[in-house]
Amino acid sequence: MIGKEKAGAFAAGCLGLIVFASLCAPWISPYDPNQVDMGNRLSHISAAHWMGTDQLGRDVYSRMLYGGRVSLLLSGVATVSTLLVGFGIGILSGYFRGKVDACLQTIVHIFQGIPGLTMMLAIVGVLGPSLKSLFLAIVLTSWADFSRVVRGEVMKVQVEPYIEGTRVLGASTFYIMMVHIIPSIAGTVLVLLTIRMSRTLLMIASLSFLGLGVQPPTPDWSVMLNDARPFLRTQPYLMLAPGICIATVSLSLQILGDTLRDRLDPKRMQRVEDIA
């Protein structure tokens, strides 16, 4: 357990450092991320360009810093939005049960029966490559899993004796949800949010790498990977910088979620991680 807590602290430190560097990009980046310098294209690592330049002479280090802002913000907003949709449907389904539960679960099963990647590609293909279509595709393909976990946790909590006692005393449904049920499942939701954000980041990177997500010349890690493909053999550093950033953030979130799971409730949270 001590080893896992140290790993969690290290992961949180790495994640915090990357987030801090991305937020401070306008002040610590040496160049404009979109500044083109064709006379200095594909230059190797040097004192002037710490990570070299790309095929248009743009500073890779500056683009990497700014790229974190787009990747982290989009994955964070998409994950939270997905959580809100799934959380709302899950808590209503688990609390009211009956016809409400049956109706909502039918919708959940429909969305879970559609292959996620196929649906994402279809949505982005119909709406066109953009941040909005990418955001919508992620939310529509991910909320059902959140809802299923939240529903199960709510069904467990609401049969507890103290919930029944509160209901007998005349407490409203809103009061019971806000004061008792939501705080009781907050730990589960936090673990699920952390794990899911890691996967959302990889989804965004995959679609953007295919040219269906974030579009050039926006500085983004996945866009940088896509732009660097033709130069993998001659200038591998163009792919190393964004690739390491994506892998580090994703791995840090997974380790952090694993640490939170063990810290909160090892037996109960293992099921949450398996579903996520």
Side-chain angles (χ1 to χ4, degrees), residues 178-201:
M178 297 301 296
V179 176
H180 295 292
I181 293 182
I182 292 179
S184 298
I185 65 175
T188 301
V189 173
L190 180 61
V191 173
L192 190 59
L193 178 68
T194 306
I195 296 173
R196 181 58 65 176
M197 185 174 175
S198 170
R199 300 189 179 186
T200 300
L201 178 65

Side-chain angles (χ1 to χ4, degrees), residues 28-30 49-52 59-66 224:
I28 63 177
S29 61
H49 300 282
W50 297 351
M51 294 184 179
D59 184 63
V60 174
Y61 175 67
S62 299
R63 289 183 63 78
M64 185 189 69
L65 292 175
Y66 276 90
M224 293 173 66

Side-chain angles (χ1 to χ4, degrees), residues 192-256:
L192 190 59
L193 178 68
T194 306
I195 296 173
R196 181 58 65 176
M197 185 174 175
S198 170
R199 300 189 179 186
T200 300
L201 178 65
L202 294 178
M203 288 181 192
I204 294 171
S206 300
L207 290 179
S208 298
F209 181 75
L210 295 174
L212 298 175
V214 184
Q215 297 297 300
T218 303
D220 177 75
W221 293 337
S222 47
V223 172
M224 293 173 66
L225 284 174
N226 190 25
D227 290 342
R229 280 189 300 170
F231 311 99
L232 176 60
R233 293 182 180 274
T234 55
Q235 280 83 20
Y237 60 87
L238 293 177
M239 297 194 78
L240 282 177
I244 290 174
C245 286
I246 293 174
T248 301
V249 172
S250 180
L251 183 60
S252 297
L253 287 169
Q254 289 282 353
I255 294 174
L256 193 58

Side-chain angles (χ1 to χ4, degrees), residues 23-37:
L23 291 175
C24 296
W27 297 279
I28 63 177
S29 61
Y31 301 95
D32 184 326
N34 292 321
Q35 179 181 342
V36 176
D37 183 8

